[in-house]
Amino acid sequence: MLSALKFAKALPASTFARSTAQRAYSAAATGEALKKTVLHDYHVENGGKMVPFAGWSMPVQYSNLGVGASHNWTRSNASVFDVSHMLATRITGKDRVKFYESITVADIENLPVGSSTLSVFTNENGGIIDDTIICKHQDSLYVVSNAGCADKDLAHIRPLLKAFQNKGGDVDLKIIEDHQLIAIQGPKAAAVIEELVGKSLQDFRFMDGRFMTIKGIECHVARSGYTGEDGFEISVPNSDAVEFTKLLIADPRVELAGLGARDSLRLEAGLCLYGNDLDETTTPIEAGLTWTIGKRRRAEGGFLGAEKIQDQLKNGVTRRRIGLVVQGAPAREGAPIYANGELVGKVTSGCPSPSTKKNVAMGYVKNGVHKSGTELEVEVRGRKQKAVVTKMPFVPAGYHKV
């Protein structure tokens, strides 16, 4: 049996990056000039292969490590990802929690100060406009959502914000443009940051957020990420972004990583990619994200699409998100899924898994054929291949537990 590294090297980088790259190039189809993060030139200088992604020029991989090797390095060491293209906002005002609870399913009222939660913006039909991370601080909410949905999110939020303000609501939204967002992910990430701050981070829980000073640089640090590993997403001033990244990369346990590795890492972790696994026709119940809706919110509602979601909570759904292990060629986005010859769904994400040395996928199937162990078929290039419904994540999560 091939080792994980040999498995990764046995496949071309495009095998891992195809889904990301397809979405990247389609995102740039408008012909508009690509935006650049502060780290853009640093990526190029360090062998970054730049591609259009969600209107930005972003590294898909680096010359020193292929996508598969970068994936495996992250699973065993630590990697730095530039995620400065994400939409970061700061929400202030005494009614900030009330407003954000009206546009997301999160129970922010009962979220402890210094903690974060994954949530979703919903539409009137309960569909997911975008997924987002909300971090609650004493005087504000720090919110990060997807770069590819930035314009859509703001177009959705701003009229609702204006209407809320016109009714006397005290809330304000500011886009954070003077900071960059840098993620360090992997089992050795904490040791790297601990060395820089000179103290233990054992009490820093997964999904908590803090303001910290790292080597003289004022940062917002969240213990979170998009790889299934322990790690941090660190917001640093634009003027310090390059030097801060150099501090991280100077550690021999750390390498730069791009969009290609990020995509295969998040799929192994069972994490959704908006536009593939989530969209405005999909509710959080169908997506297996019921856990993002707090008990109080399930009972009280008060967010867009609450009636639809409450009905699904009570009466069930007709389709569900599942994980698959696929025999044969990798199953990609759009591949049909069959049960006993009947079309029952489609794949939304898929790739070879360097960690398990199997082909993994995510998709939606009709209720009743969603249980773990169910044998299905996936059509790839006109041929049906065996697939088994498999519980996600495909690899054990490495999140830090106190």
Side-chain angles (χ1 to χ4, degrees), residues 128-397:
I128 298 172
I129 292 173
D130 197 7
D131 55 306
T132 185
I133 296 287
I134 302 169
C135 186
K136 184 178 181 180
H137 291 295
Q138 196 70 49
D139 59 352
S140 63
L141 302 176
Y142 174 69
V143 182
V144 178
S145 49
N146 287 300
C149 296
D151 292 342
K152 180 179 73 167
D153 289 354
L154 292 171
H156 169 70
I157 294 169
R158 280 173 168 156
L160 297 172
L161 176 65
K162 187 67 175 177
F164 188 88
Q165 291 169 331
N166 288 342
K167 292 179 181 179
D170 178 16
V171 62
D172 191 34
L173 179 154
K174 178 184 178 183
I175 299 173
I176 300 173
E177 298 179 306
D178 57 355
H179 281 62
Q180 300 290 289
L181 192 58
I182 299 164
I184 179 168
Q185 299 284 293
K188 296 182 181 178
V192 172
I193 300 300
E194 285 176 335
E195 196 167 299
L196 291 174
V197 298
K199 65 179 181 180
S200 170
L201 297 177
Q202 180 63 28
D203 66 341
F204 197 153
R205 298 176 302 176
F206 175 61
M207 294 300 285
D208 275 4
R210 299 177 179 178
F211 294 98
M212 298 174 63
T213 301
I214 304 178
K215 290 296 183 180
I217 300 172
E218 298 297 323
C219 308
H220 179 272
V221 183
R223 195 158 198 166
S224 58
Y226 194 50
T227 64
E229 295 292 339
D230 187 20
F232 304 86
E233 293 180 313
I234 305 171
S235 177
V236 302
N238 289 349
S239 58
D240 296 314
V242 173
E243 285 307 311
F244 183 78
T245 303
K246 288 179 178 179
L247 280 175
L248 298 177
I249 296 300
D251 191 300
R253 296 167 290 189
V254 182
E255 291 282 357
L256 292 168
L259 295 171
R262 193 165 180 253
D263 194 44
S264 55
L265 288 160
R266 69 91 192 168
L267 182 51
E268 285 188 347
L271 302 175
C272 295
L273 175 64
Y274 193 88
N276 283 49
D277 314 304
L278 304 175
D279 59 31
E280 294 193 35
T281 69
T282 303
T283 70
I285 314 304
E286 294 168 327
L289 298 176
T290 303
W291 60 271
T292 65
I293 312 171
K295 184 177 180 180
R296 177 178 65 85
R297 305 308 311 278
R298 298 182 199 188
E300 296 177 2
F303 50 86
L304 293 174
E307 281 190 17
K308 172 71 172 287
I309 289 172
Q310 288 171 323
D311 178 71
Q312 289 184 339
L313 285 167
K314 181 179 179 180
N315 299 310
V317 293
T318 59
R319 64 177 184 141
R320 294 174 181 267
R321 181 169 65 94
I322 60 163
L324 290 169
V325 171
V326 182
Q327 295 184 17
R332 301 293 182 180
E333 176 189 359
I337 303 173
Y338 296 88
N340 299 317
E342 176 191 358
L343 180 65
V344 294
K346 69 175 182 178
V347 170
T348 53
S349 290
C351 74
S353 161
S355 302
T356 67
K357 301 176 285 292
K358 298 175 181 177
N359 293 319
V360 299
M362 191 184 296
Y364 286 82
V365 296
K366 75 175 188 178
N367 193 43
V369 297
H370 65 284
K371 294 182 180 179
S372 182
T374 301
E375 295 183 357
L376 302 173
E377 289 183 311
V378 177
E379 186 177 328
V380 180
R381 303 190 193 112
R383 297 181 62 181
K384 290 182 179 178
Q385 302 175 174
K386 292 182 179 181
V388 177
V389 178
T390 304
K391 186 177 180 180
M392 296 183 285
F394 298 105
V395 299

Side-chain angles (χ1 to χ4, degrees), residues 72-86:
N72 289 324
W73 182 271
T74 309
R75 286 274 182 253
S76 58
N77 294 281
S79 294
V80 166
F81 299 82
D82 181 5
V83 290
S84 307
H85 59 307
M86 304 288 278

